[in-house]
Amino acid sequence: MAKSNLLLNNPFAKAPIVRLQGQPVLLFTEQHNSLLQALEAKKVTIFSECRSGFCGACKTRIISGSVSYLTEPLAELNADECLPCCCIPCEDLELDLSPEGAAVVTYPRNKNLAQTPSTRKTANLKAVPQQEVVED
C-alpha cells in the first residue's frame, strides 16, 4: 500500500505518535519519508549504515504498535523488530530507543491554559456567605 494511502486513508485519522521508552518524540506526518528520517530530524541517537550499503544496522525493537514497509527489508527481523530506514508507523508506535538528547515533545504546565475564558474571569473569586434576610 502506498505511503500516502496508508496514512491518509481516512481524512479524520490522526498521524501516529512515536514514543521512545514512553516519551513522546514526534508526530509522524507525510513530510517524513521514513521512520529513520523522522527520528534523525528529532536528533534521536540511532546507529545506521543503510546509506553505506549495510542493511540491518538500524534494527530497533518495537515495544508497542506496528509499522508498514515501504520496501522489503533485506535483514532478518524478529516479530518485535523493525528497520526504521524502510518503514513508517501504521499506528502509535513505541520504540526501545533512548529519548536522551532527542528533541522531545513537551507540554506546558500552566493550569490557566486549560481554563476557558469564562472560567478564567471567576477563577480567583472567593465564595461569600449569603446573609439572611429578615422581613418585618
Side-chain angles (χ1 to χ4, degrees):
M1 183 178 286
K3 180 170 114 173
S4 60
N5 291 339
L6 185 65
L7 292 177
L8 298 177
N9 58 359
N10 177 352
F12 300 106
K14 72 172 193 67
I17 296 170
V18 178
R19 290 181 170 79
L20 305 181
Q21 298 175 347
Q23 180 69 46
V25 173
L26 68 96
L27 186 65
F28 192 91
T29 64
E30 287 291 308
Q31 72 184 15
H32 305 112
N33 291 324
S34 69
L35 182 55
L36 180 62
Q37 181 191 44
L39 293 169
E40 288 174 338
K42 284 295 200 166
K43 310 283 188 255
V44 174
T45 303
I46 181 168
F47 181 74
S48 69
E49 289 289 327
C50 314
R51 296 171 190 103
S52 300
F54 299 105
C55 188
C58 67
K59 188 184 298 186
T60 303
R61 191 172 76 80
I62 298 174
I63 295 172
S64 66
S66 62
V67 297
S68 177
Y69 284 92
L70 303 168
T71 59
E72 192 65 32
L74 299 175
E76 191 173 314
L77 298 170
N78 292 325
D80 67 342
E81 295 175 325
C82 71
L83 289 180
C85 64
C86 59
C87 72
I88 59 172
C90 296
E91 58 189 340
D92 288 352
L93 184 66
E94 184 170 354
L95 300 173
D96 190 17
L97 291 172
S98 173
E100 189 174 329
V104 297
V105 177
T106 58
Y107 300 99
R109 298 243 179 225
N110 186 345
K111 66 180 180 181
N112 286 336
L113 292 178
Q115 296 176 345
T116 63
S118 63
T119 60
R120 235 180 272 134
K121 292 176 189 171
T122 59
N124 294 326
L125 296 179
K126 295 180 181 175
V128 178
Q130 291 183 334
Q131 295 181 356
E132 188 175 316
V133 177
V134 180
E135 293 183 26
D136 291 321

